[in-house]
Amino acid sequence: MNTSQGTKPPLPSTASATLLKPPLPSPGLRTPSNRKTIYDRNLNRTRTAELSRASFAYLFSEMVTYAQKRVTGIQDLERRLNEQGYSLGVRLLPLLLYRAPPRTATRPTRILPLLQFITTTLWKHLFGRPADALERSSANEDEYMISDNEPLVNMYVSVPKEMNQLNCAAYVAGIIEGVCDAAAMTAAVSAHNGGTEMWPGKTVFLIRFEAGVVEREAILEGKGVTG
């Protein structure tokens, strides 16, 4: 008796079978699946975004730790923090002017409008509130002072007793210096401890403009330029 069985398909030979391997990743900058990078983001997209204080405290503490490596003293550490803030300041001025309404998006050409821009627009962008005071030195016409009673950069920094003269707000001083340079008003900015009984953590930012800036200020004032 003959029994018919189904015929099985032949197995493919090893010579004809091919394995598809995933392509190797190309070296260099990785591009997201949507083919867009950070450079494609709208500059107004994050204008109202806020960073949590915990995240800021962690990031800033890491910046201080990085700047503290291989320093020779307090002044050297403050100089490094100043340099880190400076690179941010030179970029913040054009960004904030771009985001400002068209009627107010004017680059300051005189000292007082620039300092008012720093104490209001810049301070609100960085810390969510304006600076506490803006003063002009009565002794030197090239010196101005911005006061912050509670600098955010100092709230989460524990300074040892042997470094009690250290003021990590030198980072903010660097930002101010960068904004002044971006506005073509070169200045040297430093942070100083100005604590009082009411505000023990108060910091005063001393802004000293170059002689050429002061001379140009007098010329613009004589011509009646207010901006």
Side-chain angles (χ1 to χ4, degrees), residues 51-193:
L51 179 68
S52 68
R53 289 199 173 188
S55 300
F56 171 80
Y58 173 76
L59 291 174
F60 188 71
S61 65
E62 289 297 312
M63 291 174 58
V64 175
T65 302
Y66 177 80
Q68 195 174 359
K69 296 179 180 178
R70 299 179 181 179
V71 295
T72 57
I74 294 177
Q75 291 184 350
D76 193 18
L77 176 56
E78 290 183 344
R79 179 186 59 81
R80 291 199 174 195
L81 292 173
N82 185 289
E83 291 174 351
Q84 291 179 355
Y86 179 89
S87 60
L88 175 62
V90 294
R91 293 167 174 80
L92 275 176
L93 178 64
L95 176 63
L96 295 178
L97 290 177
Y98 174 82
R99 290 177 173 177
R103 60 184 179 85
T104 59
T106 304
R107 185 181 295 269
T109 58
R110 295 193 57 182
I111 292 178
L112 188 56
L114 173 64
L115 296 179
Q116 290 174 340
F117 173 87
I118 291 174
T119 55
T120 55
T121 304
L122 175 67
W123 232 259
K124 289 179 180 179
H125 174 75
L126 293 175
F127 310 118
R129 58 174 179 81
D132 293 298
L134 170 62
E135 303 172 82
R136 182 176 181 176
S137 172
S138 58
N140 302 305
E141 62 177 0
D142 61 339
E143 292 183 353
Y144 293 79
M145 292 162 287
I146 297 176
S147 299
D148 192 325
N149 294 334
E150 290 182 314
L152 181 62
V153 293
N154 289 344
M155 292 180 64
Y156 305 100
V157 176
S158 178
V159 179
K161 292 182 179 180
E162 62 273 12
M163 301 179 66
N164 58 355
Q165 295 181 352
L166 172 66
N167 194 325
C168 291
Y171 177 75
V172 181
I175 296 177
I176 299 172
E177 189 171 327
V179 172
C180 291
D181 282 9
M185 300 185 204
T186 308
V189 185
S190 54
H192 303 270
N193 296 321

Side-chain angles (χ1 to χ4, degrees), residues 175-219:
I175 296 177
I176 299 172
E177 189 171 327
V179 172
C180 291
D181 282 9
M185 300 185 204
T186 308
V189 185
S190 54
H192 303 270
N193 296 321
T196 62
E197 184 177 355
M198 181 177 294
W199 303 107
K202 179 180 179 179
T203 294
V204 178
F205 300 94
L206 177 62
I207 307 171
R208 184 179 293 107
F209 289 96
E210 287 189 350
V213 177
V214 178
E215 293 175 0
R216 184 180 62 185
E217 177 76 6
I219 294 174

